[in-house]
Amino acid sequence: MILYAIPTPLGGSPEEALPAPALDTIRTLKDFAVENAKSARAFLGALGMPVRELSIRTLDDDMAGLMLPLREKRPLGLLSEAGCPAIADPGAALVEAAQREGFRVVPLVGPSSIILALMASGLEGQRFAFCGYLPRDAAERKHRIRELEQRSRRERATEIFIETPYRNDALLAALLDACSPATRLCVAADLTLPSETIRTETIGQWRRAAAQIGRRPAVFLLLADRG
């Protein structure tokens, strides 16, 4: 049996975000393990699926229950709220369990904010690392930013991280305070939406612009100067 890792739209309709073969596969499924039941029902309903007839479990259920469809020889769909499950989103534990028990795992094609941001950033695309969320504490965050900038300079690699939208501007301020003026920073916000912005400039340029991001989903990418 197969566990399908299903991307969901960052914005817009399923038909705008996912290719037809992926949508056709999703419509064949009856069992789903999801990050959020409400958003999953909305996504599946937008595909014209009979939501009330589907089995939808949230990922905080026990693993035995989540794995039951696969063990009973039924395919299972894994959904996060937006983007790709198990990448900066829940789902990795279920994928690990499926792999451990010998089930096939099939990732469907769809949007990833991390990859889309890197594609459009103009920064180093051969060597990059996704670092998740930075520390909330201001002193720890500043220390971590400087660590990432030093690693980026040493390895000539792009460092990628995200933040809860309401803390975007605090993170931007911390980056502008901690980083070298020549380090390049990309902020990609509201990806795939009409309000999308993707801006790459040096820290010095960001400082002069006094920009703010606001409470929008955003990806931050940093590439240090060579020094």
Side-chain angles (χ1 to χ4, degrees), residues 68-123:
L68 187 62
L70 295 174
R71 292 169 177 166
E72 292 184 347
K73 302 187 184 307
R74 301 194 308 274
L76 176 65
L78 169 62
L79 288 170
S80 64
E81 277 200 271
C84 296
I87 301 178
D89 265 324
L94 178 58
V95 173
E96 179 186 13
Q99 292 278 11
R100 187 170 56 246
E101 295 192 24
F103 294 110
R104 185 181 172 197
V105 179
V106 174
L108 299 184
V109 175
S112 163
S113 62
I114 298 164
I115 298 303
L116 292 173
L118 181 61
M119 289 166 60
S121 70
L123 302 182

Side-chain angles (χ1 to χ4, degrees), residues 129-195:
F130 176 64
C131 308
Y133 291 88
L134 302 190
R136 293 187 185 184
D137 178 79
E140 293 179 6
R141 182 174 56 208
K142 185 173 184 177
H143 178 72
R144 181 59 173 154
I145 288 170
R146 287 182 169 167
E147 282 184 337
L148 293 176
E149 185 182 37
Q150 290 169 3
R151 185 173 73 176
S152 175
R153 181 176 295 114
R154 183 174 62 251
E155 300 181 6
R156 194 57 185 166
T158 299
E159 305 289 348
I160 307 172
F161 37 94
I162 55 177
E163 185 52 282
T164 303
Y166 75 86
R167 290 200 293 266
N168 278 341
D169 289 326
L171 176 55
L172 178 60
L175 288 162
L176 301 189
D177 177 61
C179 292
S180 162
T183 288
R184 285 189 287 165
L185 172 68
C186 175
V187 180
D190 277 350
L191 287 162
T192 76
L193 296 174
S195 54

Side-chain angles (χ1 to χ4, degrees), residues 49-87:
M49 298 179 67
V51 176
R52 293 182 180 275
E53 300 174 18
L54 303 176
S55 173
I56 298 175
R57 289 176 175 264
T58 58
L59 289 168
D60 54 8
D61 286 357
D62 66 278
M63 189 58 69
L66 293 174
M67 291 288 291
L68 187 62
L70 295 174
R71 292 169 177 166
E72 292 184 347
K73 302 187 184 307
R74 301 194 308 274
L76 176 65
L78 169 62
L79 288 170
S80 64
E81 277 200 271
C84 296
I87 301 178

